Structures are given as C-alpha cells and as structure tokens.
Amino acid sequence: MKSRRPSCTDSGSESSELDSSSPQKFETVVRRRMAANARERKRMQGLNTAFDRLRKVVPQWGQDKKLSKYETLQMALSYIVALNRILTDSRRNNSTSPRQWLELQLDCVQHDNYPCLLGYDCPSGEELLQSSFSYQFDAHQVHV
DNA sequence: TAGGCCATCTGGTCCT
DNA sequence: AGGACCAGATGGCCTA
C-alpha cells in the first residue's frame, strides 16, 4: 500500500455530506463513507491484482521495468492481435510445409526492428511472434 | 524540478 | 438503502 492522502472521513471531514444535524446522523454518514472508501480500496486492489496477472502473461521484451497499466493494456491488445494473426495464417496455409509457413510469417517482419530475423538465424517461436508484434513502448501505439 | 504513475478519497449514477 | 462502478481531484514517490 502506498501513501495515503489525508482522509476526510478517516479523521474529520469537510464534505458537505457531513453537514448532518444530529450527532447520530453524522456518525452514520461517516461510517457509511468509511465503508465506501474501504470497498473502493478493495475494488482497486482487485483491479491491480488483475493487472499483475495480465503482466505475467504478456511479453516484456527488453523491458526490465514493470509495465504501467496503460502499457500493459496496449501490450495485451497487441499480443492478442499478433497471436490471432499467426493462428489465422497458419490455418490458411495449412497445406504448405513448415518452412514455407515460416517464410510467410517472416514476410510480416518489421526488418528495421528485428534485424536478427533477416538472416534466418533466430527464427524461434517467440521471435517469430515478436516479429509480427509491434507494440511501441515509447510511442504508446499499436502497429499490427 | 517537472512529469509520469499511482493510491486514495469523494460524490455521482446505476442497479439490486 | 446499500453496493458496484466510475471519473475527477489530490498528494506522494520516483526518475530523467
């Protein structure tokens, strides 16, 4: 848990909602607000857990730093599209030999980004996928 | 020090 | 009525 903003309802409040006439009413409002805050914290923690799980299954080539939430979503989107493309292409070229299929995949390669693939010296599955997968970390854009 | 990212609070809206 | 979800505001931490 990171830093917490000084809380209105955890201590005292300037919220208009708290202009309650009786002390009992005030107490009820404060209790409700605190419960709502706790629920919201829990909800956001659930969301963050989901992001962490997504980060684990999404590739992070060359990124030693943890992906931001935005980057994680962009990467996931790009990853799904790339997988889908590979699946579609492999079905379409069912009759071709593995070598021919590989060559077809390499047609999609962005040669500027992954020059190692040019010489066919590292056509592993992951690199093949990477080649048709071009989420730009710095540009925050998907190019598939 | 500015900017990015994040956690938290809060009030509004919708749903049960 | 109360919970879930959302978006805006705010302030802390970190890095270039």
Side-chain angles (χ1 to χ4, degrees):
Chain A
M1 188 181 295
K2 263 180 102 178
S3 62
R4 290 185 60 193
R5 197 180 138 204
S7 165
C8 294
T9 45
D10 282 359
S11 46
S13 175
E14 57 236 0
S15 166
S16 60
E17 195 190 10
L18 300 182
D19 296 338
S20 306
S21 43
S22 70
Q24 290 97 328
K25 221 172 185 180
F26 178 84
E27 214 170 289
T28 304
V29 167
V30 170
R31 208 181 320 115
R32 273 219 306 268
R33 194 59 259 176
M34 287 177 75
N37 289 348
R39 280 195 306 274
E40 179 64 9
R41 273 198 300 273
K42 199 174 170 191
R43 194 182 72 83
M44 293 309 293
Q45 281 161 11
L47 191 62
N48 289 333
T49 301
F51 266 105
D52 285 339
R53 292 174 64 190
L54 190 56
R55 278 188 193 101
K56 284 199 178 100
V57 298
V58 143
Q60 267 189 276
W61 298 303
Q63 284 284 307
D64 46 351
K65 206 181 83 191
K66 179 181 162 187
L67 293 180
S68 73
K69 292 177 180 180
Y70 179 81
E71 287 168 341
T72 303
L73 288 179
Q74 293 297 314
M75 184 61 87
L77 174 62
S78 188
Y79 190 40
I80 290 167
V81 171
L83 288 172
N84 191 48
R85 174 193 283 174
I86 287 176
L87 204 57
T88 305
D89 288 356
S90 69
R91 279 206 203 100
R92 192 185 308 144
N93 300 289
N94 218 2
S95 58
T96 63
S97 70
R99 178 72 189 185
Q100 284 172 316
W101 182 78
L102 189 60
E103 282 171 358
L104 278 168
Q105 296 306 305
L106 289 170
D107 283 345
C108 305
V109 173
Q110 296 194 352
H111 295 206
D112 292 342
N113 292 346
Y114 305 107
C116 77
L117 290 171
L118 284 171
Y120 287 61
D121 54 344
C122 49
S124 70
E126 181 168 298
E127 279 155 345
L128 195 58
L129 176 61
Q130 185 175 352
S131 70
S132 52
F133 178 94
S134 57
Y135 170 64
Q136 307 293 313
F137 280 100
D138 44 357
H140 284 176
Q141 281 179 350
V142 177
H143 304 281
V144 178

